[in-house]
Amino acid sequence: SFNLKLVVPTVPARHYFVFGKPFDTSTVDHDDRAACTTMYGEVKSELRRGLDDVLVAREKDPFKDFARRIAVERISGKPAPTFGIEELNK
């Protein structure tokens, strides 16, 4: 029996980006396992915090819905506003 699957494209979502603090790795000895583990933990923690901040900000974004965002952009002729930077790093 032949099973036909229907694929329906989704509406494009708004993309969210956040750049965390830079990490200086020039002083970390790559042969020092403890130092590398510490650096890895710091980077992982900062990345997780950034992702959590973006997820919270995305939920509060009044224009995350494609239809609403495109309507505002068409009427105003400008990109729909996004959340302020103060929404991050809380």
Side-chain angles (χ1 to χ4, degrees), residues 10-85:
T10 60
V11 176
R14 193 169 199 175
H15 298 282
Y16 301 85
F17 299 93
V18 65
F19 297 93
K21 70 177 185 177
F23 287 90
D24 179 17
T25 60
S26 65
T27 59
V28 178
D29 178 8
H30 67 276
D31 291 323
D32 183 351
R33 189 172 193 87
C36 291
T37 300
T38 299
M39 176 62 70
Y40 175 79
E42 291 172 11
V43 171
K44 184 177 177 180
S45 175
E46 178 68 13
L47 179 62
R48 172 51 54 199
R49 188 183 59 76
L51 290 172
D52 289 343
D53 287 349
V54 166
L55 291 174
V56 168
R58 180 178 69 177
E59 287 306 310
K60 294 179 181 179
D61 185 358
F63 299 104
K64 69 181 175 183
D65 177 63
F66 177 77
R68 182 172 182 197
R69 184 175 69 251
I70 204 72
V72 167
E73 290 177 351
R74 294 281 190 233
I75 292 169
S76 70
K78 296 185 282 187
T82 187
F83 54 85
I85 193 72

